[in-house]
Amino acid sequence: MTDSLEHGLLVPRPWADSPEAQQELGGALRDAAHPLLICDYDGTLAPFHVDKMEARPYPGVVERLERILQGRTQLAFVSGRPIGELMMLLPLAARTEIWGMHGREHRRPDGGTTLLDASQLQRAALNEAQHTLATRGVGDMLERKAASLAVHWRGLQGGGRERIDAVQALAGEVFAGYAGRHALAILQFDGGMELRAEDYTKGHAVRALLGERKAPVVFLGDDTTDEDAFRVVGGARGLALLV
């Protein structure tokens, strides 16, 4: 497989353009009794939306996933969203294994759930950052989860670049005071920035899903939050597809 130059970076050729990958992995997927398909949600199966609870799947996605569920492929989801939100937007996910909040929340197909909460030090740091940002005028842009705090500026797209740059700079300034402490790190994503605990990631979730399985695996993701999962899938000789 050859590489190409894109935006000054050396990137691999797309899988669809690689006869070698098509032959090797395509054959393995056809022959496997129970291949595994793991999907991110936002940006992968559904478009981003200013109101996150209006981020419905793209046309045709639900029908295709339903057909997959009825076949021999095992379907699972790994998302930054809380599991409850994902199941509201995509009800068929309740019949699968789900990892939410970047791997901290786990729901088995039988409905049993496990939550790996943030540590006391992580919660204290996130509380401080949330209070600081709220008092500096961006409280309505904040989203707090069990082990992360995000600032969303997607809703400012029509308000001019200057306002977006100001919010981004503020978030970066506040988050920088906590990054590198208590396993907290800054993560940029499409339309925002997040301070989150990195002791559990999507990579941990995918590693748990794979377990000792030998069947081929495919992971669909779209953003930097999926890169940990991409690395795990690649190490298992699976296919990681950037949507």
Side-chain angles (χ1 to χ4, degrees):
M1 183 184 298
T2 60
D3 294 332
S4 62
L5 195 64
E6 181 177 306
H7 306 303
L9 299 175
L10 199 64
V11 296
R13 287 174 55 192
W15 178 78
D17 290 344
S18 168
E20 303 92 337
Q22 286 183 12
Q23 182 176 0
E24 179 181 348
L25 187 60
L29 288 170
R30 286 190 299 270
D31 296 340
H34 297 290
L36 174 62
L37 173 62
I38 310 172
C39 299
D40 172 48
Y41 184 75
D42 292 281
T44 300
L45 301 180
F48 292 106
H49 198 285
V50 174
D51 181 350
K52 64 177 182 174
M53 296 312 296
E54 292 298 325
R56 304 291 175 180
Y58 290 109
V61 164
V62 173
E63 293 79 3
R64 286 172 171 81
L65 292 176
E66 189 63 55
R67 288 201 295 272
I68 289 171
L69 270 175
Q70 294 172 9
R72 59 189 174 85
T73 299
Q74 179 185 351
L75 181 62
F77 295 92
V78 175
S79 172
R81 281 183 182 265
I83 288 172
E85 290 185 7
L86 178 60
M87 291 194 300
M88 288 179 64
L89 293 166
L90 189 65
L92 65 78
R95 292 147 53 197
T96 72
E97 186 167 356
I98 311 172
W99 290 79
M101 292 192 290
H102 302 287
R104 302 196 79 93
E105 191 180 19
H106 180 211
R107 184 182 189 276
R108 301 183 298 277
D110 65 6
T113 60
T114 303
L115 175 64
L116 302 169
D117 203 356
S119 70
Q120 183 175 352
L121 291 173
Q122 289 169 337
R123 289 196 301 273
L126 292 169
N127 288 341
E128 288 180 11
Q130 182 175 5
H131 176 74
T132 300
L133 288 167
T135 58
R136 295 182 66 175
V138 296
D140 59 338
M141 303 178 197
L142 301 179
E143 180 187 11
R144 179 66 186 273
K145 299 177 186 175
S148 68
L149 175 67
V151 181
H152 295 272
W153 51 76
R154 187 171 295 111
L156 300 176
Q157 297 294 347
R161 187 71 236 179
E162 187 174 316
R163 175 59 172 157
I164 293 175
D165 289 343
V167 173
Q168 185 173 4
L170 174 61
E173 173 195 334
V174 173
F175 286 169
Y178 301 94
R181 297 163 49 194
H182 318 309
L184 293 172
I186 298 173
L187 179 73
Q188 294 270 5
F189 60 88
D190 186 357
M193 182 184 298
E194 187 172 45
L195 180 68
R196 70 180 175 105
E198 286 206 318
D199 41 357
Y200 290 94
T201 68
K202 289 185 177 182
H204 291 89
V206 170
R207 190 172 289 111
L209 273 166
L210 293 180
E212 300 298 320
R213 75 165 51 237
K214 301 299 180 183
V217 57
V218 176
F219 183 92
L220 305 182
D222 75 298
D223 210 341
T224 53
T225 62
D226 299 305
E227 291 179 0
D228 293 318
F230 287 162
R231 283 188 283 271
V232 174
V233 169
R237 296 184 63 80
L239 173 64
L241 287 178
L242 180 64
V243 177

